[in-house]
Amino acid sequence: MKRRSTVLLSVTALLALTFTALPAGPAGAEQSTVRDVYQPDTGPRVRVNQVAYLPAGPKNATLVTGATTRLPWQLKDADGRTVAHGWTVPRGADVSSGQNVHSIDFGAFRGRGTDFTLAADGETSRPFDIGTGAYEQLRLDSLKYYYTQRSGIAIRDDLRPGYGRLAGHLNAAPNQGDANVPCQPGLCDYTLDVTGGWYDAGDHGKYVVNGGISTWELLSTYERSLLARTGQPWRLRDGSLALPESGNKVPDILDEARWELEFLMKMQVPEGQPLAGMAHSKVHDAQWTGLPLLPSDDPQKRELHAPTTQATLNLAATAAQAARLYRPYDPAFAAKALTAARTAWQAALAHPETYPDPNDGTGGGAYPDDNASDEFYWAAAELYLTTGERQFADFVLASPVHTADIFGPLGFDWGRTAAAGRLDLATVPSALPGRDKVRRSVIKAADTYLATAASQPYGMPYAPDGNLYDWGSNAQVLNNAHVIATAYDLTGAAKYHDGALESMDYLLGRNALNISYVTGYGEVNSHRQHSRWYARELDPNLPDPPRGTLAGGPNSGIQDPYAQSRLQGCTGQFCYIDDIQSWSTNETAVNWNAALAWMASFVADQG
Ligand code: 9MR
């Protein structure tokens, strides 16, 4: 379990290198007369999902207005004809934004089409579709993102036009490479080949902990497609993601996840070494690098950092899950993964409290975490679901995490992994005693998230304590929605279906900033996420992030100096800026896109 801390100890090191000059504000941004006060251009006051509502799904919007009594609204088609109308519902002061708002429900409209708008209070919303196509595309784009995050392989321009680049960290100068990486000084006397895997985010680091939850959510996207009543596994079939492996008769989503799984297994301490079976927590540069910097241009020395219990259990959990999912396609790989998982499990039991050093943040993120009970629970759950063995069932049933209320306001994530175990115990068939209770715990959590969403005039299942938006809040919204969606998979009840769908509206434009946080989706969307190689904002020869890239989102901590220079004193939803320098509000990351991929796939299945 992660400590609730927003302090990034490497902040000074990072900003010294990445924060060279203040770039101009976003195009179209209104500057107030006081030069230093940033005022985002939030466009029309009618806030909608700028991408699409499902024809048979809920349709909600939010109006920012000083009016205290109800106002009329009109839904207009592409020709400007009114096709539905009604009255707003005044909601008073919204805590998440500090605005006075009304909500609008136009869910009774069941038509389809493109370029609808919603008008109220003299304002007209940005356009949106009512249809299913956008989500089918988003399911694929959010997953295609992983190929261009790959380390150790050249990215083919024919597969990702505009994104072709040389392989990163394959020991070709100036890279020092990941083929024979030593430990940090004094830690070990071997080197490991840790080529491959995905770059974590906008940096070139590769972290077992964050790689773990990301891999789990991708594998779970696939596993859900096999198990849920609305699942459509053929959408993720071989060829669906235009990968180098397409054509190998394996679903592409499994090919992509395997790229990371192979890396996770390479991070395991070899037999004969003192900590054999544990996993090194991470491999990254000795010092932070600046922006822009292609992976193949990184000249820094790479180092393995100390093995941790949490990293070891991330490996155990994901390799165990992989063992059951790859078995039909590659039994040898499945067996290898299960062996790695069992070895990791035993090593974690032998070293149950070897936690990451919270100060280990030079050249890469620290991912601090001083509790491994949730990772133990998750790993035991996956090992049990794959093997059915009593030892793992006993561990799960004896763990206090099994019956604890683990679904908090911030959602599950790299440091809060108990939910991964609980959700899989609820959805993957097994003979676990008391499985009904497990399922009920997920449904109860979904009810709490639905109540949160109902209390939010912007409709998202996210209301952090003190209105303090956390680092990566967009993924937390999505992961809370994931729990609601799972309750729908378990029960078939419409309220969960609708709640999960409505959560997407917030990410796609129904928010205080009137922005879609997914690159390429919505009339105004985030496209300047912090990245060393999707860095068009800094070098016109480089691309923007690919379509389907999620921005981290509002973060009250505003740890980076660029955000601090523009967002000081921001309220909740306003703690965000689409600028490449804002690494604390606007980074891209593999765990965040995994949350998007799972939900996009769920929504696409409801069309
Ligand atoms: O996503 C991580 C967030 O939860 C933490 O609060 C933050 C500070 O520790 O780090 C975030 O992860 C970053 C990682 O440390 C380095 N790569 C980029 C990640 C996304 O910003």
Side-chain angles (χ1 to χ4, degrees), residues 2-11 14 199-207 210 282 284 288 358 361 363-368 413-416 470-472 476 530 532 552 555 559 583-592:
K2 167 195 166 188
R3 283 182 313 167
R4 178 76 178 81
S5 150
T6 43
V7 180
L8 176 63
L9 288 135
S10 61
V11 159
L14 180 57
Y199 297 117
D200 189 52
D203 59 332
H204 299 145
K206 304 189 292 193
Y207 308 79
N210 203 40
K282 52 181 184 167
H284 60 65
W288 284 105
Y367 284 114
D413 202 355
W414 59 266
R416 296 181 295 270
D470 199 19
W471 197 315
Q476 297 177 349
H530 177 82
R532 280 167 178 68
N555 172 6
Q559 289 86 346
W583 41 263
S584 70
T585 78
N586 197 34
E587 194 158 349
T588 160
V590 288
N591 57 323
W592 303 336

Side-chain angles (χ1 to χ4, degrees), residues 54-72:
L54 294 187
K59 296 173 194 72
N60 294 281
T62 302
L63 169 69
V64 181
T65 175
T68 51
T69 53
R70 67 179 197 162
L71 295 168

Side-chain angles (χ1 to χ4, degrees), residues 107-147:
F109 182 74
R110 294 283 152 142
R112 290 171 179 261
T114 58
D115 293 317
F116 288 93
T117 52
L118 195 59
D121 200 19
E123 300 262 318
T124 299
S125 76
R126 290 183 176 142
F128 55 88
D129 294 352
I130 299 179
T132 56
Y135 292 100
E136 202 48 67
Q137 191 60 44
L138 183 59
R139 155 166 34 210
L140 300 179
D141 284 340
S142 58
L143 288 166
K144 284 170 125 176
Y145 159 92
Y146 289 89
Y147 174 47

Side-chain angles (χ1 to χ4, degrees), residues 67-68 80-81 102 120 172 178 187 199 219 270 324 422 435 438 460 484 486 495-496 545 605:
T68 51
R81 282 186 301 245
H102 294 195
D178 288 352
L187 215 62
Y199 297 117
L219 291 179
R324 64 177 181 266
R422 189 81 67 81
R435 188 157 172 264
V438 174
M460 66 289 196
I484 300 172
T486 301
K495 62 178 177 176
Y496 303 118
D605 283 346

